[in-house]
Amino acid sequence: MTKQFEPETPCVVIDSEIMERNILAMANTAQQAGLNLRPHAKTHKMPWIARKQISAGAIGITVAKVSEAEVMADHGIDDIFIAYPLIAPGKIQRALALNKRIRLIVGCDSMEGARRLAEAALRAGQTLEVRLEVDTGLRRTGVPYEQAVETAVQIHSMEGLSLTGIFTFRGAMLAGKPTMNLAAAGAEEGRLMVELGESIRAAGVQIADISVGSTPTSAFASEVKGITEIRPGTYVYQDRMQAAFGVCGLDDCAGSVRVTVVSRPSPDLAVIDGGSKTFATDVQPNAAPLHLVGFGHVVGLEDAVFERMSEEHGMLRLGPLAQNSGLQVGDVLHIIPNHICSTVNLHNTVIFLRDGRSEVEPVLARGKLE
Amino acid sequence: MTKQFEPETPCVVIDSEIMERNILAMANTAQQAGLNLRPHAKTHKMPWIARKQISAGAIGITVAKVSEAEVMADHGIDDIFIAYPLIAPGKIQRALALNKRIRLIVGCDSMEGARRLAEAALRAGQTLEVRLEVDTGLRRTGVPYEQAVETAVQIHSMEGLSLTGIFTFRGAMLAGKPTMNLAAAGAEEGRLMVELGESIRAAGVQIADISVGSTPTSAFASEVKGITEIRPGTYVYQDRMQAAFGVCGLDDCAGSVRVTVVSRPSPDLAVIDGGSKTFATDVQPNAAPLHLVGFGHVVGLEDAVFERMSEEHGMLRLGPLAQNSGLQVGDVLHIIPNHICSTVNLHNTVIFLRDGRSEVEPVLARGKLE
């Protein structure tokens, strides 16, 4: 991988073959379960990868921001779910503009949000397709579970809106707490949403879509009868957190950060040319302590721990094996980051490798925060 | 500040008057101490602000990457110190190209690094001005303190290099540990470097520059006789970490992140439209626990704690005062981030406010990682 191509470090490199294998595997999971797959584009932020996911069977994509949806629509994606409450008037106007060009679905988790969407849609002479977000334990956005039926009934009655589904996100969680038991987490997530969907239908609102699922829980939630859609994101590249969950092996991680050792001030310390402006600093809530797991997996140096970062420096603590490896100033390393999504988000471009050839691709929807 | 201008959220807004006051205050500190000021541009990453700092008295700027130096040189900055070991051959070539256009100084912290610089400089028929980086306790880059004299003597003897100074970075540290006692930290930092400079001169190497200082320690290190230069960065905007140090008040923080409340699922929870792709997640090593201090100061809601983040969501835990404030979906808040440098680094643009007028400026050197 490093022989034929020597890009300047630090940079994110993606193994295209592994990425395509990951895309196909998740498409297969969805197809076998008879579900729609609507991948979250937050991980790659690139329209051409979204198109690959759709070619492999995805129905469309998910994004978090209107600005991301605009980038994706401008590059040919025509079925987009903004899984986020749209509140600011300017953003709702931009969503209505998109709604004329593509199939757009928007998230909603409050009556205030629904009123804003409905009024703007009516003024524009449009109908907005809406899904109600439900909190199933993460305490993030989402109407509280016990208020969801009532809210669905109210939104259903509003002119300008067409309530077609419900959705949730909670990652790997069981009975309100983070868990490593993905099978139980996915089953609970699926059951909660299917039961809620039945209650909403019993109240007279014939929703079509019950959408769940993150990369760790998608395979298990999809086994619950009644679920119609999964929205995993990270699977396209996979990362060290997913490997820690057992979702994949480290060999399934398509992405790594290529770095150079710039200093070897002592036998047990190697400093690399990437820190918190190159690697995500967020760590899994239920992960082992940082001084044991570090900020990423150092490929080929099993007892090196990526222990500390400042903005442009990464400090690797070397165990006996790494100390005896002959690691020296100028050596190039590859590090599989804990969280690939927020790592890619720091980079303007990503390098794709296939058969020794490389292509530099812009992370087009990076920094599209509004 | 929010009346005349309503940009879409989330975005970084900078109060230009506070920024200019901060620029002048640090210039004054340096001038009073008779020192050179060479601000680190990592915080703003904008050439026009670097020019403001130079107009106020700075001798030049500091950067971490060749690519940042290129952006700054392309926009008129002609005295740049790359305070980072240059190791990769491609980067050394780019430094040599810059060296023909501007006064360039490069960092070095190993004999391997020095050899690479010297060989490339000789081949190019150039002399590179070099400073030796010294570790004074942070265990990052920097030759170990006790090896610095010997290394300086060796580098001094190498053709192609002109060793003109020594430098260190360690933030707020005392006797090898993080500290809140900035006066003692700065005094120790200054003393260590001045004593080392005397030893190096006694060994026959007549270095001119002894460069120290971060934003928290600059004022104190500059009081040590023999120091010639300070390199603070964060001071240009200041931030909540610096306020926690007592370096400034929250009123001196020029930067905040403008966000919108997108969900109010329960009385004690408000969700804002910015998470770890909008705010830096790095927390000060010796800070109070996260659940007490949070990821930033929520202006005007004193008992709101910015407790959790996912990529595009920020969760504020509201105390009794905030719960009674009438905060609702659609409200706009301003949050002073813990660390402004890595926060700005997430944004393609920053909005500058003055007298109600606004200007959007690109963060030109953002993402310049190589």
Side-chain angles (χ1 to χ4, degrees):
Chain A
M1 178 154 130
T2 65
K3 284 281 155 100
Q4 294 105 320
F5 182 59
E6 298 289 344
E8 288 294 352
T9 62
C11 59
V12 173
V13 290
I14 302 287
D15 183 309
S16 298
E17 285 178 49
I18 298 177
M19 175 185 76
E20 288 179 12
R21 199 170 73 205
N22 293 342
I23 289 173
L24 291 177
M26 190 60 83
N28 200 39
T29 295
Q31 192 187 14
Q32 302 244 316
L35 297 178
N36 291 331
L37 169 63
R38 186 181 285 281
H40 205 302
K42 73 191 179 92
T43 308
H44 54 72
K45 292 179 177 273
M46 295 189 188
W48 70 273
I49 297 183
R51 285 198 299 270
K52 264 188 190 293
Q53 291 172 311
I54 290 169
S55 296
I59 188 175
I61 63 164
T62 307
V63 299
K65 304 280 177 164
V66 178
S67 48
E68 293 175 321
E70 289 168 341
V71 170
M72 292 292 168
D74 287 348
H75 290 81
I77 310 298
D78 62 2
D79 189 335
I80 302 178
F81 174 30
I82 304 175
Y84 204 88
L86 289 184
I87 300 300
K91 289 180 187 173
I92 295 173
Q93 288 307 318
R94 287 157 64 189
L96 288 165
L98 277 175
N99 193 43
K100 291 200 278 189
R101 298 163 54 195
I102 63 168
R103 180 197 179 189
L104 183 75
I105 316 166
V106 300
C108 179
D109 82 338
S110 67
M111 287 313 300
E112 172 64 20
R115 268 189 293 273
R116 290 175 178 225
L117 291 175
E119 285 170 19
L122 280 176
R123 271 198 307 274
Q126 294 187 39
T127 300
L128 267 176
E129 183 175 351
V130 170
R131 289 181 182 174
L132 176 64
E133 182 172 7
V134 182
D135 178 25
T136 51
L138 189 57
R139 300 204 72 222
R140 204 172 74 169
T141 43
V143 66
Y145 188 82
E146 58 282 2
Q147 297 172 21
V149 176
E150 184 191 336
T151 309
V153 170
Q154 289 186 275
I155 293 177
H156 176 64
S157 72
M158 296 172 82
E159 275 189 273
L161 302 184
S162 169
L163 180 68
T164 59
I166 56 176
F167 73 106
T168 195
F169 175 84
R170 61 175 207 170
M173 179 169 268
L174 186 63
K177 296 209 169 114
T179 184
M180 297 297 274
N181 185 345
L182 303 184
E188 186 186 78
E189 180 183 354
R191 180 183 55 77
L192 285 169
M193 290 298 283
V194 168
E195 287 177 3
L196 180 61
E198 285 164 3
S199 301
I200 289 172
R201 289 181 185 128
V205 183
Q206 297 313 313
I207 52 171
D209 297 306
I210 300 182
S211 175
V212 301
S214 51
T215 293
T217 63
S218 275
F220 302 104
S222 67
E223 291 175 2
V224 179
K225 195 172 148 55
I227 296 298
T228 68
E229 182 183 279
I230 52 175
R231 304 187 320 281
T234 311
Y235 80 94
V236 65
Y237 296 154
Q238 299 290 15
D239 61 18
R240 194 172 181 229
M241 280 188 190
Q242 300 305 326
F245 270 132
V247 169
C248 63
L250 284 173
D251 286 352
D252 300 311
C253 295
S256 62
V257 181
R258 181 182 164 91
V259 295
T260 300
V261 175
V262 294
S263 188
R264 285 284 279 117
S266 66
D268 64 343
L269 176 61
V271 185
I272 56 172
D273 58 352
S276 64
K277 287 178 173 171
T278 297
F279 291 89
T281 58
D282 49 343
V283 185
Q284 212 157 4
N286 54 344
L290 186 60
H291 70 278
L292 296 180
V293 299
F295 291 107
H297 171 79
V298 187
V299 177
L301 291 176
E302 297 306 317
D303 64 352
V305 178
F306 185 0
E307 193 176 42
R308 293 179 291 137
M309 289 201 270
S310 50
E311 287 166 57
E312 304 287 8
H313 299 73
M315 273 60 78
L316 309 185
R317 176 168 48 79
L318 306 184
L321 294 173
Q323 290 188 37
N324 288 324
S325 69
L327 187 70
Q328 56 191 6
V329 166
D331 284 355
V332 168
L333 294 172
H334 287 84
I335 296 181
I336 299 173
N338 289 353
H339 193 185
I340 191 72
C341 311
S342 1
T343 298
V344 165
N345 184 58
L346 294 166
H347 295 259
N348 291 338
T349 58
V350 163
I351 294 166
F352 289 80
L353 301 179
R354 180 201 299 274
D355 303 330
R357 294 193 316 278
S358 68
E359 276 179 47
V360 180
E361 295 281 354
V363 187
L364 272 186
R366 199 218 77 77
K368 298 293 176 187
L369 294 171
E370 352 75 55
Chain B
M1 177 154 131
T2 65
K3 286 277 157 100
Q4 295 107 317
F5 183 59
E6 298 290 345
E8 288 294 351
T9 61
C11 59
V12 174
V13 291
I14 303 286
D15 184 310
S16 298
E17 286 178 48
I18 298 176
M19 175 185 78
E20 288 179 12
R21 198 170 74 205
N22 293 343
I23 289 173
L24 291 176
M26 189 61 82
N28 201 37
T29 295
Q31 192 187 16
Q32 302 243 315
L35 296 180
N36 291 331
L37 169 64
R38 186 181 287 281
H40 205 302
K42 74 191 178 94
T43 308
H44 53 72
K45 292 179 176 277
M46 295 189 188
W48 69 273
I49 297 183
R51 286 197 298 270
K52 265 190 190 292
Q53 291 172 311
I54 290 169
S55 296
I59 189 175
I61 64 164
T62 306
V63 298
K65 304 280 178 165
V66 177
S67 48
E68 294 175 321
E70 287 168 341
V71 170
M72 292 292 169
D74 287 348
H75 290 81
I77 309 299
D78 62 2
D79 189 334
I80 302 179
F81 174 30
I82 304 174
Y84 204 88
L86 289 185
I87 300 299
K91 290 180 185 171
I92 294 173
Q93 289 307 317
R94 286 156 65 188
L96 288 165
L98 279 173
N99 193 43
K100 291 200 276 190
R101 297 164 54 195
I102 62 167
R103 180 197 179 190
L104 183 75
I105 317 167
V106 300
C108 180
D109 83 336
S110 67
M111 286 312 300
E112 173 64 21
R115 268 189 294 271
R116 290 174 178 226
L117 292 174
E119 285 170 18
L122 279 176
R123 271 198 307 274
Q126 294 187 38
T127 299
L128 267 176
E129 183 176 350
V130 171
R131 289 181 181 173
L132 176 64
E133 182 173 9
V134 181
D135 178 25
T136 52
L138 189 56
R139 298 204 74 220
R140 202 171 75 169
T141 43
V143 65
Y145 189 82
E146 58 281 2
Q147 297 172 20
V149 175
E150 184 192 336
T151 309
V153 169
Q154 289 185 276
I155 293 177
H156 176 64
S157 72
M158 296 171 81
E159 274 188 274
L161 303 184
S162 168
L163 179 70
T164 60
I166 56 176
F167 74 106
T168 195
F169 175 84
R170 60 175 208 170
M173 179 168 267
L174 186 62
K177 297 211 170 109
T179 184
M180 298 296 276
N181 184 346
L182 303 183
E188 186 185 78
E189 181 182 352
R191 179 182 56 75
L192 285 169
M193 290 299 282
V194 168
E195 287 176 4
L196 179 61
E198 285 165 2
S199 301
I200 289 172
R201 288 179 186 129
V205 183
Q206 297 312 313
I207 52 172
D209 297 306
I210 300 183
S211 175
V212 300
S214 52
T215 292
T217 62
S218 276
F220 302 104
S222 68
E223 290 174 1
V224 179
K225 194 171 148 54
I227 295 298
T228 67
E229 182 183 278
I230 52 176
R231 304 185 322 278
T234 311
Y235 80 95
V236 64
Y237 295 153
Q238 298 290 14
D239 61 18
R240 193 172 180 230
M241 279 188 192
Q242 301 304 325
F245 270 133
V247 169
C248 64
L250 284 174
D251 288 353
D252 299 311
C253 295
S256 62
V257 181
R258 181 181 165 91
V259 295
T260 300
V261 175
V262 294
S263 188
R264 285 284 281 117
S266 67
D268 64 343
L269 176 61
V271 184
I272 57 172
D273 58 352
S276 63
K277 287 178 173 171
T278 297
F279 292 89
T281 57
D282 49 345
V283 184
Q284 212 157 5
N286 54 341
L290 186 60
H291 70 276
L292 296 179
V293 299
F295 291 108
H297 171 79
V298 186
V299 177
L301 291 177
E302 299 304 318
D303 65 353
V305 178
F306 185 178
E307 194 177 39
R308 293 178 292 138
M309 290 201 268
S310 49
E311 288 167 56
E312 305 288 7
H313 300 74
M315 274 59 79
L316 309 185
R317 177 167 48 80
L318 306 183
L321 293 172
Q323 290 187 37
N324 288 324
S325 68
L327 187 70
Q328 58 191 6
V329 166
D331 285 355
V332 168
L333 294 172
H334 287 84
I335 296 182
I336 300 174
N338 289 353
H339 193 188
I340 191 72
C341 311
S342 1
T343 298
V344 165
N345 185 58
L346 294 166
H347 296 259
N348 291 338
T349 58
V350 162
I351 294 166
F352 288 80
L353 301 178
R354 180 201 300 275
D355 304 329
R357 294 193 317 277
S358 68
E359 277 179 48
V360 180
E361 296 280 356
V363 187
L364 272 187
R366 199 216 79 75
K368 297 293 177 188
L369 293 171
E370 355 72 56

